[in-house]
Amino acid sequence: MFDLFISTVAQGLMWSMLAIGVFLSFRVLDVPDMTCEGSFPLGGAVAASLISSNVNPGWGILSAMICGAAAGVITGVLYTKLKIPAILSGILTMIALYSINLHVMGKANISLLRADTVFSVTGKFFHTDPSVSAFIVPFVFMVIISAFIYWFFGTELGMCIRATGYNPQMVRAQGVNTDSMIILGLCLSNALIGLCGAVVAQNNGFADVGMGIGTIVIGLASVIIGEVILGSDSFSSSLMAVVLGSIIYRIVIAAVLHLGMPPNDLKLFTAIIVMFALATPLIKAKANLGKAG
């Protein structure tokens, strides 16, 4: 049971990279970006294609981030320059990426079972079991990413991106190009999502063209669960809430599977979790009104 808990926490840390990317677009920028369902498998496809060609896993991960960032830039340009609605811009990019992912892999999926991944390399370097390296890798990535995001959004440029999502009219009045801020924010968001796709593909031992289906719901579930439990009083607490929400979501999923829920019902269960989490503030507000009355 303890091993199951540790592996579940490791999965939560791994997927929190996706959750932070979704948090940056939906919460910080206030842009409903659907690109993640294409940039996530793009990261996996790029990393898997390079690693299966005997390229160092580190270069595979870096390439996945660059490609994910490029996908975010495309969505940002469609939204800001061509004035296509944000959600439609993300959907268009997501659809286009499906074909691109097939071209990158050359087929529907790529196996990594016999290739050197970041997990196997870490295990060899530290002489640890696969289960230990499966925890070390996402933990290290999460620490580095959280520290970078916290630092970056405390800089003047990061503050401009945050202000663009909060009050774009005020930012424009200060002479800041909000279009550039949105493009940069979506670039960073999808770079993290591409990174997550690359790491998840290596952990699973394969990359598949359909691995991005439902990732937006997983990301939103992590963000909303974290906000409901920890709140979002500051940027640092919001960041911590996203990571915690991702871990809690994975624990809940593991628990319901352990109790016998059919895997085919996981998407339905995730949607119910998101709906309940979204409705929680309203339920609390009505409960407080009832007590006051």
Side-chain angles (χ1 to χ4, degrees), residues 4 66 80 91 100 136 149-150 162 192 216 250-251:
L4 176 62
I66 293 172
T80 60
I91 291 173
I100 292 173
I136 292 175
I149 294 295
Y150 180 74
R162 291 168 63 184
L192 294 178
I216 184 66
R250 284 293 152 186
I251 291 174

Side-chain angles (χ1 to χ4, degrees), residues 198-217:
V199 175
V200 169
Q202 293 178 68
N203 181 67
N204 292 344
F206 68 93
D208 187 86
V209 71
M211 64 187 290
I213 298 174
T215 50
I216 184 66
V217 179

Side-chain angles (χ1 to χ4, degrees), residues 75-159:
T75 299
V77 170
L78 292 176
Y79 173 50
T80 60
K81 303 302 182 184
L82 301 184
K83 305 304 178 184
I84 300 174
I87 193 166
L88 183 56
S89 297
I91 291 173
L92 289 172
T93 306
M94 175 187 70
I95 293 172
L97 285 175
Y98 185 88
S99 295
I100 292 173
N101 292 338
L102 283 173
H103 283 292
V104 169
M105 293 191 292
K107 49 188 176 182
N109 54 70
I110 294 178
S111 175
L112 296 174
L113 293 179
R114 296 184 179 180
D116 283 334
T117 65
V118 66
F119 295 94
S120 62
V121 171
T122 302
K124 292 175 183 177
F125 183 80
F126 289 103
H127 304 286
T128 60
D129 295 331
S131 59
V132 177
S133 60
F135 180 84
I136 292 175
V137 171
F139 178 78
V140 171
F141 271 118
M142 198 61 260
V143 170
I144 294 173
I145 289 170
S146 298
F148 171 77
I149 294 295
Y150 180 74
W151 167 81
F152 176 76
F153 281 94
T155 63
E156 184 177 349
L157 180 58
M159 289 290 189

Side-chain angles (χ1 to χ4, degrees), residues 14-265:
M14 195 179 306
W15 283 87
S16 64
M17 293 181 277
L18 166 76
I20 291 177
V22 172
F23 166 75
L24 293 181
S25 58
F26 275 79
R27 286 290 189 259
V28 176
L29 284 174
D30 195 25
V31 174
D33 181 26
M34 295 290 293
T35 313
C36 69
E37 299 223 355
S39 57
F40 180 82
L42 174 64
V46 170
S49 297
L50 291 175
I51 292 171
S52 63
S53 301
N54 296 320
V55 175
N56 186 286
W59 288 113
I61 289 175
L62 180 60
S63 300
M65 292 183 67
I66 293 172
C67 292
V73 169
I74 292 171
T75 299
V77 170
L78 292 176
Y79 173 50
T80 60
K81 303 302 182 184
L82 301 184
K83 305 304 178 184
I84 300 174
I87 193 166
L88 183 56
S89 297
I91 291 173
L92 289 172
T93 306
M94 175 187 70
I95 293 172
L97 285 175
Y98 185 88
S99 295
I100 292 173
N101 292 338
L102 283 173
H103 283 292
V104 169
M105 293 191 292
K107 49 188 176 182
N109 54 70
I110 294 178
S111 175
L112 296 174
L113 293 179
R114 296 184 179 180
D116 283 334
T117 65
V118 66
F119 295 94
S120 62
V121 171
T122 302
K124 292 175 183 177
F125 183 80
F126 289 103
H127 304 286
T128 60
D129 295 331
S131 59
V132 177
S133 60
F135 180 84
I136 292 175
V137 171
F139 178 78
V140 171
F141 271 118
M142 198 61 260
V143 170
I144 294 173
I145 289 170
S146 298
F148 171 77
I149 294 295
Y150 180 74
W151 167 81
F152 176 76
F153 281 94
T155 63
E156 184 177 349
L157 180 58
M159 289 290 189
C160 288
I161 295 175
R162 291 168 63 184
T164 298
Y166 183 74
N167 193 334
Q169 291 81 10
M170 179 196 71
V171 176
R172 279 194 291 269
Q174 300 299 319
V176 177
N177 188 327
T178 54
D179 286 355
S180 298
M181 295 301 103
I182 291 172
I183 292 173
L184 180 58
L186 291 177
C187 173
L188 180 58
S189 167
N190 284 280
L192 294 178
I193 294 170
L195 167 63
C196 183
V199 175
V200 169
Q202 293 178 68
N203 181 67
N204 292 344
F206 68 93
D208 187 86
V209 71
M211 64 187 290
I213 298 174
T215 50
I216 184 66
V217 179
I218 295 173
L220 283 174
S222 302
V223 172
I224 294 167
I225 289 171
E227 289 179 346
V228 168
I229 294 176
L230 279 187
S232 53
D233 298 332
S234 64
F235 186 79
S236 58
S237 64
S238 297
L239 204 57
M240 291 174 59
V242 171
V243 177
L244 180 63
S246 178
I247 293 173
I248 292 174
Y249 170 75
R250 284 293 152 186
I251 291 174
V252 171
I253 292 296
V256 296
L257 286 175
H258 184 70
L259 292 174
M261 172 179 280
N264 291 340
D265 294 336

